[in-house]
Amino acid sequence: MEKVSDSMGRPSLRAKRSNIDVNEKDALMLAVSRELLTGRKTPGQALKFLRVEMLSVNQEQYARMVGVTRKILSEIEGDKSKANVYVLNKVLRGVGLCVSILPRDNYIKDKLFNEDNNLG
């Protein structure tokens, strides 16, 4: 992790990995979103995957970036957190995700996201 000063003279963090291509980022986000919607990944697993693959930062670095403790981040990634929606959104926002409410029933989710279904 390279430390750089921002315009206010404060140290800011920059990921070691060079910027990933927009298409690669979109592909990662789509794949993770599908895995979340189908239940193949938990929100914690998705967060950890995107933190590592998109940002190439460790928990301590990411926690500082989003303004939480490493312990809170570890609990969220381990799906053991009792964090409120505000904290979850704060942590998820750093990788382009947010908390949302969806039906638990897979049949309803399939109907909702079916390409043949015109939502408006």
Side-chain angles (χ1 to χ4, degrees), residues 31-88:
V32 168
S33 296
R34 281 189 189 104
E35 290 177 326
L36 279 166
L37 290 171
T38 59
R40 290 185 303 226
K41 264 199 195 327
T42 65
Q45 291 169 335
L47 172 61
K48 181 177 181 177
F49 177 82
L50 291 172
R51 171 180 59 80
V52 171
E53 293 301 315
M54 283 184 9
L55 303 176
S56 296
V57 295
N58 65 32
Q59 282 185 338
E60 185 67 38
Q61 293 161 333
Y62 186 76
R64 276 185 282 155
M65 289 168 62
V66 298
V68 298
T69 65
R70 192 208 54 78
K71 182 180 183 212
I72 289 173
L73 178 60
S74 177
E75 289 172 352
I76 292 170
E77 287 186 350
D79 296 305
K80 296 176 182 156
S81 174
K82 294 186 176 165
N84 63 37
V85 173
Y86 174 78
V87 172
L88 290 172

